[in-house]
């Protein structure tokens, strides 16, 4: 979300999504509030600091780690304030293990992705950090049924060997798909008593791999789908996977009417030959990606537009 006021952001979210609120991220506050820094602050026995090139793993917690943790506590305080007596699903999110490995640097300046041992350590630290994070939210919002979202925008690049080295002249070797899947399965397994959504706003989302890794839902930018994705999406839906379809632009611009926003979803459904009655049970409508680059006013309108578009889809699935 845009802006830097945690209370205002949580108030907006809980007021708009009365039956499915989420814990906002406010990266405009600076390093440590961004998605990588926020998740780095959750790690257990691993620490990161800000360098000119980005976030780098260090030996001990410094001011950047303390700042990230302080902002997260501020956000949780606001969430607790505006979810008193709330009972229902509540979404929280963190960066997934492979996007984190592609973004965090080792001491030599290369991405953790370059070292299989570092990737394993990072995933284990993330898993333990997420356990503690989810336990803290359950304590603060005891009536919530937590939905964990793992943000993996770099996942396709990791699988295809497209993550650039520090020099920028080469790319890191593609990671074996079985290794990627096994690591994701371990992190997804942290939230054994609730659903896990994996989000990627990149093209060529690996739907089948994410299903095998245990994701209950896949979140994606609908505008990036091609007919090549049809078979994987059809199999996912038939296997019980929920789709979080990004239909509302994440940056300022005109919003179509709600029926226009869901036209692409209806078209996809007809192309797949799936029963229209499945739509409301299977699809959650979302912004295409984060709203941090939008104006506060647009972000509020975009969230409200998702609600109206979802009602339109439920009322008229065909």
């Amino acid at each position: 979300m845009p802006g830097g006021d945690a209370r205002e952001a949580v108030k907006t979210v809980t007021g708009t999504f009365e039956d499915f609120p989420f814990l906002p991220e406010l990266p405009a506050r600076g390093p440590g509030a961004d998605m990588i820094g926020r998740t780095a602050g959750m790690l257990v026995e691993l620490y990161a600091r800000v360098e000119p090139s980005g976030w780098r793993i260090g030996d001990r917690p410094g001011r950047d780690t303390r700042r990230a943790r302080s902002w997260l506590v501020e956000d949780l305080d606001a969430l607790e304030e505006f979810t008193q007596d709330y009972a229902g699903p509540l979404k929280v999110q963190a960066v997934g293990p492979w996007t984190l490995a592609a973004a965090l640097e080792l001491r030599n300046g290369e991405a953790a992705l370059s070292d299989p041992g570092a990737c394993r350590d990072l995933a284990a630290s993330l898993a333990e950090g997420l356990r503690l994070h989810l336990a803290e939210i359950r304590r603060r919002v005891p009536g919530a049924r937590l939905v964990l979202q793992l943000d993996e925008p770099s996942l396709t690049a990791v699988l295809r060997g497209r993550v650039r080295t520090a020099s920028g002249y080469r790319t890191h070797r593609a990671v074996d798909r079985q290794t990627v899947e096994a690591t994701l399965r371990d992190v997804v397994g942290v939230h054994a008593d609730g659903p896990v959504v994996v989000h990627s706003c990149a093209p060529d989302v690996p739907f089948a791999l994410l299903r095998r890794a245990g994701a209950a839902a896949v979140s994606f930018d609908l505008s990036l789908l091609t007919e090549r994705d049809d078979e994987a999406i059809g199999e996912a839906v038939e296997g019980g996977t929920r789709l979080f379809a990004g239909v509302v632009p994440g940056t300022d611009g005109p919003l179509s009417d709600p029926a226009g926003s869901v036209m692409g979803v209806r078209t996809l459904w007809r192309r797949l030959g799936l029963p229209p009655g499945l739509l409301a049970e299977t699809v959650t409508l979302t912004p295409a990606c984060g709203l941090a680059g939008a104006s506060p006013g647009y972000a509020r309108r975009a969230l409200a537009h998702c609600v109206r578009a979802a009602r339109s889809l439920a009322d008229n699935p065909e």
Side-chain angles (χ1 to χ4, degrees), residues 155-269:
L155 183 59
T156 301
V158 168
L159 289 166
R160 298 194 174 183
R162 293 178 180 169
V163 177
R164 292 202 170 275
T165 59
S167 69
Y169 294 119
R170 296 184 298 110
T171 57
H172 292 288
R173 183 181 303 174
V175 181
D176 179 75
R177 296 181 76 88
Q178 290 184 336
T179 301
V180 169
E181 182 182 323
T183 301
L184 278 169
R185 187 180 300 113
D186 288 344
V187 177
V188 167
V190 167
H191 192 38
D193 56 350
V196 176
V197 185
V198 178
H199 167 74
S200 176
C201 49
D204 301 319
V205 177
F207 287 91
L209 183 152
L210 296 176
R211 285 178 54 223
R212 293 193 302 269
V218 180
S219 172
F220 55 93
D221 182 344
L222 185 72
S223 70
L224 298 179
L225 290 187
T226 69
E227 292 190 15
R228 294 196 311 271
D229 298 305
D230 283 3
E231 183 178 353
I233 294 174
E235 290 176 356
V237 172
E238 290 173 355
T241 303
R242 193 172 184 90
L243 304 179
F244 280 41
V247 299
V248 177
T251 52
D252 289 44
L255 292 169
S256 66
D257 64 283
S261 292
V262 298
M263 189 181 304
V265 177
R266 292 195 181 101
T267 300
L268 172 65
W269 226 246

Side-chain angles (χ1 to χ4, degrees), residues 102-124:
L104 282 182
E105 299 174 356
L106 300 174
R107 292 174 181 83
N108 63 5
E110 289 294 351
L113 188 67
S114 64
D115 183 334
C119 289
R120 287 191 295 271
D121 291 346
L122 192 56

Side-chain angles (χ1 to χ4, degrees), residues 10-311:
V10 173
K11 182 180 178 181
T12 296
V13 166
T14 53
T16 305
F17 295 126
E18 295 178 355
D19 55 357
F20 192 22
F22 61 89
L23 176 64
E25 294 177 357
L26 302 173
R29 291 179 295 192
D34 60 298
M35 59 185 285
I36 299 299
R38 183 184 183 93
T39 301
M42 297 179 192
L43 297 176
V44 173
E45 296 183 357
L46 281 179
Y47 312 103
R49 65 178 186 271
V50 177
E51 297 286 344
S53 54
W55 284 91
R56 182 171 297 182
I57 296 173
D59 297 320
R60 59 184 65 85
R63 64 178 183 181
D64 297 320
T65 298
R66 289 192 293 271
R67 185 191 302 118
R69 292 176 177 175
S70 175
W71 271 326
L72 181 57
V73 169
E74 181 182 314
D75 295 344
L76 291 174
D77 287 344
L79 181 71
E80 184 176 5
E81 177 184 351
F82 286 100
T83 53
Q84 293 293 314
D85 302 320
Y86 174 73
L90 170 66
K91 186 174 75 68
V92 298
Q93 62 202 53
V95 176
W98 292 108
T99 295
L100 201 61
L104 282 182
E105 299 174 356
L106 300 174
R107 292 174 181 83
N108 63 5
E110 289 294 351
L113 188 67
S114 64
D115 183 334
C119 289
R120 287 191 295 271
D121 291 346
L122 192 56
S125 176
L126 174 63
E128 183 59 27
L130 286 173
R131 283 191 190 94
L132 297 173
H133 181 52
L134 293 170
E136 174 67 8
I137 297 173
R138 289 190 192 98
R139 184 186 69 79
R140 288 171 175 264
V141 193
R145 300 192 304 274
L146 298 185
V147 177
L148 173 62
Q149 176 175 309
L150 296 175
D151 289 323
E152 283 283 16
S154 299
L155 183 59
T156 301
V158 168
L159 289 166
R160 298 194 174 183
R162 293 178 180 169
V163 177
R164 292 202 170 275
T165 59
S167 69
Y169 294 119
R170 296 184 298 110
T171 57
H172 292 288
R173 183 181 303 174
V175 181
D176 179 75
R177 296 181 76 88
Q178 290 184 336
T179 301
V180 169
E181 182 182 323
T183 301
L184 278 169
R185 187 180 300 113
D186 288 344
V187 177
V188 167
V190 167
H191 192 38
D193 56 350
V196 176
V197 185
V198 178
H199 167 74
S200 176
C201 49
D204 301 319
V205 177
F207 287 91
L209 183 152
L210 296 176
R211 285 178 54 223
R212 293 193 302 269
V218 180
S219 172
F220 55 93
D221 182 344
L222 185 72
S223 70
L224 298 179
L225 290 187
T226 69
E227 292 190 15
R228 294 196 311 271
D229 298 305
D230 283 3
E231 183 178 353
I233 294 174
E235 290 176 356
V237 172
E238 290 173 355
T241 303
R242 193 172 184 90
L243 304 179
F244 280 41
V247 299
V248 177
T251 52
D252 289 44
L255 292 169
S256 66
D257 64 283
S261 292
V262 298
M263 189 181 304
V265 177
R266 292 195 181 101
T267 300
L268 172 65
W269 226 246
R270 285 195 294 269
R271 209 164 64 223
L272 296 175
L274 294 168
L278 269 180
L279 265 173
E281 301 172 18
T282 306
V283 176
T284 297
L285 299 181
T286 73
C289 201
L291 292 165
S295 66
Y298 176 83
R300 289 191 292 270
R301 291 194 299 275
L303 294 179
H305 190 81
C306 287
V307 174
R308 290 193 296 271
R311 288 176 182 148

